[in-house]
Amino acid sequence: MTQLTRSHAETMDGAKRSLVAKTGNWTHFIGLQPRNLAGDIKEQAADVIQQLDMLLAESGLAQSDLFTVTIWLKDMRYFSGLNAVWNGWVDPAAPPARTCVSGELYRPDLLLEIVAVAYAEKDAA
Amino acid sequence: MSQIVKTGRIDSWGPKIFLGSAAGDIASVCLTAPDKSEDFAGQTRAILAVIDDLLGQMDSGNRGLIYAQVWLADMGDWPRFVPIWNAWVGDAYAPGLSVVEMAASRRDSLLEIRVWADRPAA
């Protein structure tokens, strides 16, 4: 094994999970959800992206280290609101590779969830 | 010249596919329940059993789990998923978990799970 580490343990309605899992040069950020489900799509998207930024920084990673970003969106009606927040965050010269698909999420008021994968060679300067 | 190892070939129903693949230090398995006449708990346990088996065949295993992506046909089944999941992941730090409701390939398919797991680099 390549020294798998998992951190940021929490539960989702009682289901145990970790938000971050690292193995080798890969860091996975799994099931990032907004902390306040009362917000609209822009507030929820901004909050999830802020969490992703915080978790990246904690791992010594940056937006440019993102390999893929998958966004699960409750409804494609929220697509333009999501993109407005996304475009305000990304490096316009080199935005991350992204997939966005809609599907009902595990709570009715949860509007999006992000799964992101980062890659950085540890021995690189 | 592929260095991808595949396991769990399916020919008996549906598309011709492998359920598991491994390359480098990563193994991944994805499937729906082999027997879709079972109820939600039965389908979930059967999927996890196949995952355990195939990860084992690829020199990985439950303890190497990085994360699971779960697609439920009906989010109403989520509470039934939780205790089975917790029993499966055990007492150590759990892997990542993401759950989304999606249309399934068949009406009697109640969930599909993909896992990613660590394995010794080939």
Side-chain angles (χ1 to χ4, degrees), chain A residues 24-36:
Chain A
N25 297 320
W26 300 92
T27 305
H28 303 260
F29 304 94
I30 309 114
L32 303 185
Q33 296 164 352
R35 289 163 288 197
N36 179 3

Side-chain angles (χ1 to χ4, degrees), chain A residues 2 7-8 17 20 30 37 51 53 68 102 114:
Chain A
T2 52
S7 61
H8 293 272
R17 65 184 193 136
V20 181
I30 309 114
L37 300 183
Q51 288 181 65
D53 265 337
T68 54
S102 80
I114 289 182

Side-chain angles (χ1 to χ4, degrees), chain B:
Chain B
M1 217 176 80
S2 174
Q3 296 178 18
I4 300 173
V5 176
K6 296 178 186 174
T7 188
R9 184 172 177 129
I10 297 295
D11 282 315
S12 52
W13 46 264
K16 293 187 197 313
I17 52 171
F18 281 99
L19 303 179
S21 18
D25 56 8
I26 293 284
S28 187
V29 179
C30 183
L31 71 153
T32 58
D35 178 0
K36 295 181 178 58
S37 68
E38 294 195 59
D39 65 7
F40 181 83
Q43 291 198 19
T44 304
R45 289 196 184 93
I47 290 171
L48 296 178
V50 173
I51 288 173
D52 280 335
D53 178 33
L54 297 186
L55 286 181
Q57 290 181 29
M58 297 185 289
D59 299 321
S60 183
N62 189 301
R63 283 187 302 169
L65 280 168
I66 297 167
Y67 79 91
Q69 177 69 56
V70 179
W71 294 279
L72 299 182
D74 179 356
M75 196 52 76
D77 282 326
W78 169 246
R80 282 178 275 278
F81 181 82
V82 173
I84 300 169
W85 167 261
N86 284 347
W88 186 62
V89 300
D91 293 330
Y93 259 53
L97 174 64
S98 168
V99 55
V100 180
E101 182 179 289
M102 284 281 170
S105 54
R106 306 165 35 148
R107 283 180 190 277
D108 53 0
S109 181
L110 303 178
L111 79 162
E112 178 159 348
I113 303 176
R114 177 174 288 285
V115 297
W116 298 83
D118 196 24
R119 71 192 281 266

Side-chain angles (χ1 to χ4, degrees), chain A residues 3-73:
Chain A
Q3 295 199 325
L4 170 68
T5 61
R6 301 184 285 215
S7 61
H8 293 272
E10 61 167 48
T11 68
M12 187 158 59
D13 280 358
K16 295 191 289 182
R17 65 184 193 136
S18 299
L19 295 182
V20 181
K22 299 182 191 186
T23 168
N25 297 320
W26 300 92
T27 305
H28 303 260
F29 304 94
I30 309 114
L32 303 185
Q33 296 164 352
R35 289 163 288 197
N36 179 3
L37 300 183
D40 64 14
I41 182 59
K42 290 187 178 180
E43 291 166 324
Q44 292 200 16
D47 185 62
V48 177
I49 285 173
Q50 184 186 49
Q51 288 181 65
L52 177 58
D53 265 337
M54 286 165 43
L55 293 170
L56 281 167
E58 186 186 291
S59 298
L61 298 165
Q63 184 188 122
S64 56
D65 295 317
L66 286 171
F67 183 70
T68 54
V69 176
T70 302
I71 301 178
W72 299 109
L73 197 59

Side-chain angles (χ1 to χ4, degrees), chain A residues 109-123:
Chain A
D109 46 1
L110 176 62
L111 305 183
L112 81 160
E113 176 176 309
I114 289 182
V115 173
V117 184
Y119 178 85
E121 295 182 10
K122 289 205 170 75
D123 297 327

